[in-house]
Amino acid sequence: MPIQLPIAEYRFTCRAIDPIELPAFADPLLYSVFGLALKQLSCIDQQQSCHDCSLRFQCDFALLLRGIIPADSRSEIAGKMHNVPPPLVFHSRLRGCEIRIPVESLFPLSLVLVGHANTKIVAVIQAMIRAGELGIGNRRARFTIVETARTGPEGLERLVMADGEIMAPGLPVPVRIPEAPSRVRVSFLTPWLLPDTRSELKNGFNGGKMIGRVVRRISLMHEPYTGAALKADFKQLAALYRTSLLLDGDIHAQKNYRYSSGNKRFLAISGWFDMELEGRQELWAYLFLGQWLHVPKIAAKGFGRYRLQAVD
């Protein structure tokens, strides 16, 4: 069957209790405090590894942030993996510089849920409320959730929570894929992080490996979060994205990139490139959906986000 992947974006309107300072790209910071809040609400033993927990298949944290699902829910591609890509992706508004939010001022946060994970929206809202109580940043600046609305690729907005009352929005419909342009520009909005600096750009950047990762990411997510197997000729898809795709571009690679206080460093890819889709239309659906799901790894924290634009 073709891709039938329901995706919804949830937009949280927040009010600052304390003065808040947010970097231009705040999603990794927000992900961190949200994850702590969800774990506090979900886990019986927060010191235990998710994979060792007997309740891991009933746990919201294990599903939403670790992608841990029963083996019979995985597709053939993901069948041998302990987990699959998490169905929750931070997708907040990007800014040109860091901002300071005064007390009582409103500001937005957003995240995306995939497929059946949309049934967990109550747990997500509760975790976001707890995150506001915990506070963000070094000063633990607090905030409250005023309203939550659902939108997505289809653009229709639907209220989910207002005045503390949560309304059941139902599952989103599968995303309708528009007609593929003959040429498209892919612009990175946030850095695409590569942990292996030795191989990804060994022969230069041509866009193929990036698209291959998007194809794999969506293929791994489809059956676990929809219950429907994705029937696609992955050998043909691989043959398409392994050929020369690049028409033009301006790609930069920053070494030793760090996004937290940890010691782990990455190669951060930014910039844009144009690619030819004529004769490669099979890649378009994956590339289109990837705008909300980003390019792994660390995509759930908002990295690897990109935008598409048709090129004349």
Side-chain angles (χ1 to χ4, degrees):
M1 63 171 294
I3 299 177
Q4 296 288 311
L5 195 62
I7 295 176
E9 179 181 346
Y10 294 88
R11 296 180 177 174
F12 298 86
T13 301
C14 310
R15 176 178 285 117
I17 298 176
D18 303 314
I20 296 175
E21 295 183 3
L22 288 179
F25 175 34
D27 278 350
L29 175 64
L30 299 169
Y31 176 96
S32 177
V33 67
F34 174 85
L36 175 61
L38 184 59
K39 190 161 190 174
Q40 289 182 355
L41 293 173
S42 304
C43 297
I44 296 175
D45 183 358
Q46 296 183 31
Q47 305 303 317
Q48 188 178 30
S49 167
C50 289
H51 288 289
D52 297 330
C53 180
S54 61
L55 299 176
R56 61 189 181 278
F57 298 135
Q58 290 81 46
C59 175
D60 295 332
F61 178 86
L63 170 67
L64 295 173
L65 294 193
R66 295 291 181 265
I68 296 176
I69 59 174
D72 57 4
S73 299
R74 304 179 201 141
S75 64
E76 294 181 5
I77 300 174
K80 296 181 180 180
M81 302 176 68
H82 291 294
N83 53 356
V84 294
L88 183 148
V89 180
F90 267 80
H91 196 80
S92 298
R93 181 182 300 173
L94 300 169
R95 302 173 175 88
C97 60
E98 88 172 26
I99 62 167
R100 295 182 179 180
I101 303 168
V103 174
E104 292 298 318
S105 295
L106 300 179
F107 64 98
L109 305 175
S110 296
L111 56 81
V112 167
L113 291 176
V114 180
H116 296 158
N118 284 273
T119 62
K120 301 294 185 180
I121 184 56
V122 173
V124 170
I125 292 174
Q126 291 171 343
M128 192 65 80
I129 293 172
R130 174 65 66 88
E133 295 169 352
L134 293 173
I136 54 177
N138 294 331
R139 298 181 180 180
R140 293 297 179 189
R142 298 165 299 158
F143 61 90
T144 59
I145 306 299
V146 177
E147 184 178 278
T148 305
R150 188 177 83 183
T151 181
E154 300 298 326
L156 180 65
E157 190 166 285
R158 189 172 181 180
L159 197 63
V160 178
M161 186 196 82
D163 299 325
E165 180 181 356
I166 301 175
M167 294 150 260
L171 284 174
V173 298
V175 177
R176 181 179 57 85
I177 308 297
E179 184 178 352
S182 58
R183 296 184 178 187
V184 68
R185 174 164 295 178
V186 181
S187 301
F188 288 108
L189 302 179
T190 62
W192 171 31
L193 300 190
L194 302 175
D196 182 4
T197 61
R198 295 168 297 175
S199 61
E200 294 290 348
L201 301 179
K202 184 176 180 180
N203 298 317
F205 183 89
N206 72 353
K209 286 191 176 182
M210 172 259 182
I211 295 171
R213 291 199 174 200
V214 173
V215 170
R216 177 173 172 79
R217 176 168 171 76
I218 293 173
S219 301
L220 290 173
M221 298 177 87
H222 196 279
E223 185 172 345
Y225 301 128
T226 68
L230 177 60
K231 300 299 182 183
D233 189 339
F234 293 106
K235 288 186 177 180
Q236 180 186 6
L237 289 171
L240 292 175
Y241 64 69
R242 284 172 182 165
T243 57
S244 179
L245 299 169
L246 199 64
L247 294 174
D248 191 12
D250 185 15
I251 293 294
H252 309 279
Q254 177 185 343
K255 296 182 179 179
N256 297 320
Y257 180 92
R258 291 195 305 175
Y259 67 89
S260 68
S261 58
N263 293 324
K264 198 166 185 179
R265 298 171 186 267
F266 299 86
L267 183 69
I269 306 298
S270 60
W272 61 271
F273 66 95
D274 292 346
M275 60 173 287
E276 180 71 66
L277 282 179
E278 192 71 37
R280 301 183 179 96
Q281 286 83 356
E282 293 89 340
L283 298 174
W284 170 245
Y286 297 90
L287 197 59
F288 181 80
L289 292 172
Q291 293 177 101
W292 288 269
L293 303 178
H294 310 170
V295 189
K297 295 185 174 180
I298 324 181
K301 298 181 181 181
F303 289 101
R305 181 173 171 182
Y306 63 87
R307 176 181 59 205
L308 301 177
Q309 180 183 1
V311 178
D312 291 334

